[in-house]
Amino acid sequence: MNRIELAHNITEETGLTKEETKIVLESIITNIVLALKKGDKVMLKGFGSWSVVQRNARMGIVPSTGQAISIPAKKIVKFIPSVRLNEEVKDVK
């Protein structure tokens, strides 16, 4: 499912207009991003949580050449699904 499909489903379920749904969806995404940029953890009960974590520098290998390269440290977004979400999707095939 992409953003357009998600917005369509929300519109169908809530009765909001497409424009209202777009505004709400963009606001949710923007607020999650802003919170993560500030270093906050975002938790949606029953769904999961996002946080920013530091990934340490490490050595890697270029698959095509076998050459060793240094991969610098960086910050990444980590998502941890809730127990409920894991239960909901555990039997998906």
Side-chain angles (χ1 to χ4, degrees):
M1 175 183 298
N2 60 35
R3 188 182 297 210
I4 294 170
E5 293 166 334
L6 178 59
H8 176 75
N9 289 348
I10 293 170
T11 299
E12 292 292 316
E13 291 176 9
T14 63
L16 294 171
T17 66
K18 287 182 181 182
E19 191 58 36
E20 290 169 331
T21 301
K22 181 181 175 186
I23 291 168
V24 170
L25 188 54
E26 290 300 321
S27 177
I28 291 168
I29 293 168
T30 298
N31 280 282
I32 290 172
V33 170
L34 290 174
L36 292 172
K37 280 183 162 184
K38 289 192 314 188
D40 294 341
K41 185 174 184 177
V42 178
M43 296 180 288
L44 298 179
K45 188 174 180 177
F47 186 72
S49 62
W50 292 267
S51 61
V52 176
V53 296
Q54 180 72 28
R55 180 175 280 175
N56 294 329
R58 62 194 190 281
M59 293 302 293
I61 297 176
V62 177
S64 59
T65 65
Q67 179 184 6
I69 59 169
S70 175
I71 301 170
K74 66 179 180 178
K75 292 182 180 181
I76 62 165
V77 176
K78 181 178 178 183
F79 176 75
I80 301 174
S82 70
V83 172
R84 178 179 165 199
L85 179 59
N86 278 329
E87 285 295 316
E88 292 286 333
V89 299
K90 73 177 181 181
D91 294 329
V92 174
K93 296 187 183 310

